[in-house]
Amino acid sequence: MCKLSGVILKSAARIILGAIFALSALAKLSSMESFELYIFSFGFAGFDLCSFAARFVVIAEFIIGLGLASGQYFRFFRLITALVLTAFSVFLLWRAASGDTRSCHCMGDLVDMNPVQSVLKNLFLGFLLLLSWSSDPRQLKCRRISLI
């Protein structure tokens, strides 16, 4: 019984993490212009490249969310998730250190978070990832249903 509850807890953490990534992508998609302008505001590249980068981030987040929630290729998706969370957190810490208090558009215009709040969100997501790290989606017979 205890082993089953541990499997369920780890799977729930993985599915919740995947759902948050997918919802974040959908929230960015609903306010894509704002997200593009946010990326463009750093002056790293031209607007066309920033538009492409914004769409790439949205698609990648959505695929990561579906991959985590479904449990398919979990080893791959947990490594990618760890890298993405680390990269986003480093970027947000840089923004916070430079005194930026604007919304980072991490959840689109749906939830207005500054870089510090978003780093705290990423720490929570990292905790969920750590909790689900040793999850074995093959142990659940209905893992394909979780994608639905």
Side-chain angles (χ1 to χ4, degrees), residues 81-103:
T81 303
L83 290 173
V84 166
L85 282 175
T86 301
F88 284 168
S89 295
V90 167
F91 172 75
L92 291 165
L93 288 170
W94 171 66
R95 295 305 309 153
S98 67
D100 187 5
T101 58
R102 298 179 297 159
S103 173

Side-chain angles (χ1 to χ4, degrees), residues 9 13 17 85 120-133:
L9 177 66
L17 180 62
L85 282 175
L120 294 174
K121 173 198 56 107
N122 286 355
L123 285 173
F124 172 72
L125 296 179
F127 172 74
L128 288 178
L129 181 62
L130 186 63
L131 185 64
S132 68
W133 192 267

Side-chain angles (χ1 to χ4, degrees), residues 65-67 69-72 142-148:
L66 289 180
S70 72
Q72 300 293 322
C142 60
R143 69 183 173 134
R144 292 180 191 232
I145 294 173
S146 67
L147 180 59
I148 295 170

